């Protein structure tokens, strides 16, 4: 069976790609053959004949560049919308069987895979197929990335509650300072509050980084996250 993690978020723009790339880089520093993948990305910019997936490119860099971008991010759309809506606007169809086959094929070439979803768990990918369904079919435990700022208690608890209620395994939650910290009371108190309220572990608070190079991201993961706890889930079959 394939091994891996499925990184989801409480919303879009909360730092999923940053945390997923950081984990991939940190695990590779530990000698693990891990690669990152974003099966579908929207909001891609056109560079010549191709749509360029910014998140996919960051994951590929963290993965050592050994896999082609077509394997890291096989489905790309220009509109910055939920995949189902973006596909409809572009006159395309997302076939979930093909999408999940791409995940399985990449996983088969490596010891473990870190898969990044799109937005949150209930984002529609295809008719009757959400990000939560993608995670279920991948068979990997969830790692939930949440904003470190005001409003995160509700969003994080709702996401974890839905995941557990849907029968998904949740490895834990990572708070992410996805923009420069403001020193607010919410930022100061959210980690302790979530440690009390969550039914799963809070695995750390990922710092705001101006430098998003693969080396800097891996260092951030080493210093801020409980990599040992995450690795146990990554290695689980």
């Amino acid at each position: 069976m394939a091994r891996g993690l499925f990184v989801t978020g409480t919303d879009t723009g909360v730092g999923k790609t940053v945390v997923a790339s950081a984990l991939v880089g940190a695990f590779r520093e530990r000698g693990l053959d891990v690669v990152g993948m974003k099966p579908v990305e929207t909001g891609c910019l056109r560079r010549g004949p191709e749509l360029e997936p910014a998140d996919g490119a960051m994951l590929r860099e963290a993965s050592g560049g050994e896999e082609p971008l077509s394997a890291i991010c096989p489905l790309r759309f220009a509109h910055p919308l939920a995949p189902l809506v973006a596909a409809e606007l572009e006159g395309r169809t997302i076939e979930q069987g093909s999408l999940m086959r791409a995940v399985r094929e990449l996983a088969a070439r490596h010891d473990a895979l870190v898969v990044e979803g799109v937005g949150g768990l209930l984002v529609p990918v295809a008719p009757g197929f959400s990000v939560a369904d993608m995670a279920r079919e991948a068979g990997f435990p969830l790692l939930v990335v949440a904003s470190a700022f005001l409003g995160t208690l509700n969003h994080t608890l709702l996401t974890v509650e839905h995941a557990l209620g849907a029968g998904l395994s949740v490895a834990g939650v990572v708070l992410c300072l996805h923009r420069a910290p403001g020193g607010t009371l919410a930022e100061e108190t959210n980690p302790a509050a979530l440690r009390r309220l969550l039914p799963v572990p809070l695995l750390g608070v990922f710092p705001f980084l101006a430098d998003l190079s693969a080396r800097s991201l891996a260092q951030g993961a080493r210093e801020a996250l409980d990599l040992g706890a995450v690795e146990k889930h990554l290695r689980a079959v």
Side-chain angles (χ1 to χ4, degrees):
M1 293 178 64
R3 299 176 179 182
L5 289 171
F6 192 99
V7 177
T8 191
T10 55
D11 199 351
T12 190
V14 295
K16 293 188 305 299
T17 306
V18 166
V19 172
S21 298
L23 288 171
V24 169
F27 288 138
R28 289 179 67 85
E29 286 183 347
R30 290 182 167 208
L32 300 176
D33 176 23
V34 180
V35 296
M37 182 185 194
K38 184 154 185 167
V40 56
E41 183 169 337
T42 64
C44 300
L45 297 177
R46 186 166 295 280
R47 306 291 187 192
E50 297 288 332
L51 287 172
E52 182 177 290
D55 294 348
M58 182 180 286
L59 287 165
R60 183 173 185 264
E61 181 185 0
S63 302
E66 61 188 77
E67 289 284 354
L69 196 54
S70 58
I72 300 292
C73 185
L75 271 183
R76 309 167 199 175
F77 297 90
H79 291 84
L81 303 167
L84 172 65
V85 182
E88 290 174 345
L89 287 176
E90 296 176 31
R92 299 166 60 188
T93 301
I94 296 176
E95 207 283 307
Q96 69 185 70
S98 298
L99 189 65
M100 299 313 299
R101 184 162 54 251
V103 175
R104 291 191 295 271
E105 288 174 354
L106 185 57
R109 296 198 291 272
H110 300 277
D111 291 340
L113 198 59
V114 174
V115 179
E116 181 192 345
V118 186
L121 284 177
L122 295 184
V123 168
V125 177
F129 187 69
S130 67
V131 171
D133 297 319
M134 189 192 306
R136 183 178 295 105
E137 286 204 22
F140 302 151
L142 289 179
L143 188 142
V144 177
V145 177
S147 168
F149 301 102
L150 184 65
T152 200
L153 298 185
N154 180 61
H155 295 161
T156 306
L157 293 170
L158 280 174
T159 297
V160 172
E161 180 179 340
H162 177 81
L164 295 175
L168 298 171
S169 172
V170 181
V173 171
V174 170
L175 287 179
C176 183
L177 286 159
H178 53 90
R179 61 176 186 266
T184 66
L185 193 57
E187 293 166 50
E188 295 174 10
T189 59
N190 280 335
L194 284 172
R195 285 190 175 94
R196 293 197 307 271
L197 297 169
L198 281 169
V200 298
L202 180 65
L203 299 168
V205 180
F206 196 85
F208 173 76
L209 297 176
D211 175 10
L212 294 181
S213 66
R215 178 177 296 182
S216 177
L217 290 171
Q219 180 179 349
R222 288 197 311 270
E223 295 176 354
L225 305 183
D226 187 348
L227 288 178
V230 181
E231 187 176 331
K232 289 179 182 177
H233 288 278
L234 187 74
R235 290 180 176 274
V237 177

